[in-house]
Each structure stands twice: as structure tokens, then as C-alpha cells.
Amino acid sequence: MRRYAASAHLSADPERIRRASLQESGRIVQLPPQQGVFADVLDLSTGNTTGTFKSWLACLAVARHLGREQPIVLAQSSGNTANALAAYAAHVGLRAVILHPPASRRRIVPRLAESDTVQFVEVDAPEHRIKAVLAACAETLGIPTAPSPADQDEANKLRAFLLRDAGRALDRQWDWHVQALSSGYGPLGYYAGLREFEHTEPVQVPRFLGVQQEAVAPFVRALGGQSGGTGAVPMLEPTLFRQTLTEDLVRRMRELCAYSRGTVRALTNTRYLQWEPRAVALLRAAGVTVALDPDGTPRERAGLYALAGTLDAIEQGLIRPGERALIVYTGGAAPTPAGTYRPHWHARQDEAHDIVARAVAKLRP
């Protein structure tokens, strides 16, 4: 973030980015060729202070709120964003009330939740209902939410800067850019960054491959008319939760696929589980952290879905021998949280607004 704060023309002042920064990082790790396909992993998790790929986003979101008259924000998350925002808010003294569903309790890091500047509210409701609670609280309490859609676009477009510089240093280009999808802000921001470069320099646009799990595949349905995501099969990865898309997200993803000659595919549970052991072994052998529970089950599968989807696309001939794929490893590096996390507040959906107001009052000076 500090490296690109000025050159990327971010909305937050570069000095505030420097104040908020916890030395965000990303790295490219090379895997052995897979059936003649060259494979690199963009690891956005392992090297970050928070152990999550949301560090870049949290840094920008927090920096943008520095200096405001009312230094308090509201947020909601399924885990990664909550941990990152808590860490960055505590770092600069920004106060935050963060909502999360019960299923995300095991992902919250206790040492971050114990900060004096953050209050966590566990809301017993589905993710889309929690989003509605957040919007209502923001309006009635007059408190901004973080991160904003603009933060998502700006933070994720920095991937284009990183990959441009890395491609030059490594003397390589990528034919494919692969990522698991929930809302899709990561690839949407990345390809928006590529389009900015086209005004000043030649750009090779990698084909995009979006991967969704069988139980939650709204982009696949919207763009390709395929079935899936009806709840008939179990959800394997709760952080890839987004069932309902806005018209704007669908439009932007359709334009992204047309621009990159890309596609979005759903990976069945059976196929994913067949590929998972190989994906874990490949990443760990390359030095990429894959956090496992005591029974050997991955704590988070978002990044694994991208690699498993790549291996499946190679086997089916979509990605061909001689091509080079860049697989984006997002969630899955954060280790098992030490200690026992307990939310500051627990709320049913019908009482969430009042409890959020009480949490805000506790943080006010």
C-alpha cells in the first residue's frame, strides 16, 4: 500500500496510508507444471500481518477514515475482513463495531477482538440479513460503513500494479488469471487496473477463470444460465457466501469476461473434494501456508477452490499445455486462533439494531 499509494491515485492521502500501513505484502510462488501447464500462485495471505488477503483493503478503508470528525465505523464480515479491520483500526485508534454471523465465530482472532477500539456483535441471521441490519444502523446512527465499494475497487486494482512489476522482474506473462468468487471485487478491481494501464503502455490481458462452489454459484447462473446454488447440496466454504448479486456486479462481471475472453465455472462438491488433497499438498510444498484444523480439514477453502478449479480446468482441456496460469490464493492462510473468542454482544435479528447502538455508545468518547 505504501509503495503504490501515490502512483495509483488512491482516494486516501498517501500520508494517511503510511500511518495505517502494517506493511502489506503479496508474493508469487511457482508450482511444478501441471500436465504441461505452468502454474504460479499469487499468495495474498501468508505474508500479511493479519494472515488474510484483506489487509490491503483494510489499510485503505482505515486510512480513508483518519482525520474525520467522528472516528468510528460500522462493518460486517464472515471472518477475514473482520480480522483485518480490527487489526488496522487498533493500529491507528479508529473505533469500529463489526457484525458477523455465528458461523464465523471460529474465524475471529481473539487477540484482535480484545482491542479497546473494537466491539464485535454476533448477529444470529444469514449474511444478507446482516448486511441489511448494517445499512439500517448506518442510516439511523449516522455512522459510515467500511469498507465501501470504492475501497474494494481501489484496493484490488493495486493487484495490477503488483503483477505488472512482478511480471517485469520475473520476465513472464500470464495467460490465465484464476480466482474463487463470492462478490467478485478482487478480479473486478484487478482488470479495472489493467484498463488504466492501457492508456499509457502495452498490456497483455490474461483470460479470467472464476471458480464458484456448487452450492453457491450465482455468477455462473447469471452469466451462463447453469443450474446450481439452490441449497440441494451442502456449502463447503462459508466465506464464498454471496447468493444474491446486484445488477451492477452481474454487468461488471459480464464485461470482465468479455474483455478478457474469460468464463466463470462451478466446481461440484465431488470434483472439489477429489482435488483438495492435491491442492493442499502443492501449496504446502511450495511454502504457502494452508491452515488445517486438528482433523486435517482446511480451515478455509477459498484459496483452495481457485487451485482446485485450475486443476480441473487443465484436466478438461480449458487451460492448455504451454499456457501459464496465475492462481490467486485468497483465504486460508490464517492459523487457528489461539484462545477462546467470545463476541462482546450477541443479537437476534430483531434486536440487532438496538444492540449495535449500545455497542456504538460504549465506544464513543
Side-chain angles (χ1 to χ4, degrees):
M1 292 296 297
R2 293 171 65 180
R3 179 177 182 174
Y4 298 121
S7 60
H9 306 294
L10 300 177
S11 60
D13 180 79
E15 177 55 35
R16 289 179 178 170
I17 291 286
R18 283 191 287 273
R19 284 177 55 195
S21 176
L22 290 171
Q23 300 191 17
E24 302 69 38
S25 71
R27 61 175 182 164
I28 293 174
V29 178
Q30 186 170 324
L31 301 181
Q34 304 296 310
Q35 299 183 40
V37 173
F38 301 102
D40 294 324
V41 173
L42 174 59
D43 179 6
L44 294 175
S45 297
T46 302
N48 283 313
T49 302
T50 65
T52 81
F53 70 106
K54 295 294 189 178
S55 286
W56 298 18
L57 174 61
C59 178
L60 176 62
V62 166
R64 195 168 52 82
H65 287 279
L66 286 177
R68 292 196 172 185
E69 183 177 347
Q70 190 179 41
I72 186 168
V73 297
L74 300 177
Q76 67 82 33
S77 169
S78 59
N80 286 309
T81 301
N83 286 325
L85 275 176
Y88 280 83
H91 177 57
V92 300
L94 179 71
R95 296 185 288 276
V97 175
I98 303 175
L99 288 61
H100 68 80
S104 298
R105 181 184 290 201
R106 70 187 186 95
R107 289 191 167 86
I108 307 300
V109 177
R111 63 177 174 82
L112 300 178
E114 291 164 2
S115 165
D116 292 337
T117 67
V118 179
Q119 292 278 294
F120 280 87
V121 181
E122 183 175 276
V123 182
D124 193 5
E127 193 84 20
H128 68 284
R129 297 292 185 189
I130 297 177
K131 287 181 181 292
V133 169
L134 183 77
C137 289
E139 181 176 359
T140 58
L141 298 174
I143 297 174
T145 60
S148 68
D151 293 335
Q152 295 275 10
D153 285 341
E154 288 188 36
N156 286 303
K157 83 171 182 179
L158 297 188
R159 189 187 305 177
F161 287 75
L162 176 69
L163 291 178
R164 178 192 62 182
D165 292 349
R168 290 171 177 171
L170 297 170
D171 191 25
R172 69 182 59 166
Q173 295 179 320
W174 292 278
D175 301 292
W176 290 87
H177 190 93
V178 187
Q179 184 169 338
L181 294 178
S182 183
S183 296
Y185 286 117
L188 289 171
Y190 165 63
Y191 281 93
L194 288 184
R195 286 181 164 176
E196 287 188 15
F197 292 156
E198 287 181 332
H199 299 296
T200 58
E201 59 190 78
V203 174
Q204 176 176 334
V205 179
R207 296 182 67 181
F208 176 62
L209 173 58
V211 182
Q212 296 206 284
Q213 61 181 321
E214 181 180 7
V216 188
F219 276 117
V220 176
R221 295 197 308 274
L223 273 62
Q226 298 183 29
S227 61
T230 61
V233 295
M235 181 190 300
L236 296 182
E237 180 43 59
T239 64
L240 302 175
F241 62 84
R242 184 142 194 173
Q243 293 272 13
T244 304
L245 301 171
T246 65
E247 291 183 5
D248 183 61
L249 283 175
V250 172
R251 174 189 60 78
R252 293 179 66 189
M253 186 60 67
R254 183 176 288 113
E255 291 175 353
L256 184 162
C257 288
Y259 170 66
S260 70
R261 298 177 298 114
T263 187
V264 179
R265 307 175 82 205
L267 194 59
T268 66
N269 287 3
T270 299
R271 295 290 288 175
Y272 170 79
L273 293 172
Q274 288 174 351
W275 288 116
E276 182 180 87
R278 178 165 179 78
V280 171
L282 283 170
L283 290 168
R284 299 189 98 183
V288 178
T289 301
V290 181
L292 304 177
D293 285 333
D295 64 359
T297 302
R299 287 192 61 78
E300 186 178 336
R301 289 173 159 130
L304 294 173
Y305 257 97
L307 180 50
T310 302
L311 297 172
D312 199 64
I314 292 171
E315 182 176 88
Q316 295 186 22
L318 177 62
I319 303 177
R320 301 177 179 179
E323 294 183 317
R324 183 177 291 276
L326 183 71
I327 301 115
V328 183
Y329 186 67
T330 50
T336 302
T340 300
Y341 163 72
R342 291 184 178 87
H344 301 94
W345 310 83
H346 183 86
R348 300 187 308 270
Q349 182 180 330
D350 62 346
E351 63 183 359
H353 186 283
D354 289 341
I355 289 180
V356 169
R358 290 165 62 189
V360 167
K362 189 174 181 64
L363 288 177
R364 290 192 189 277

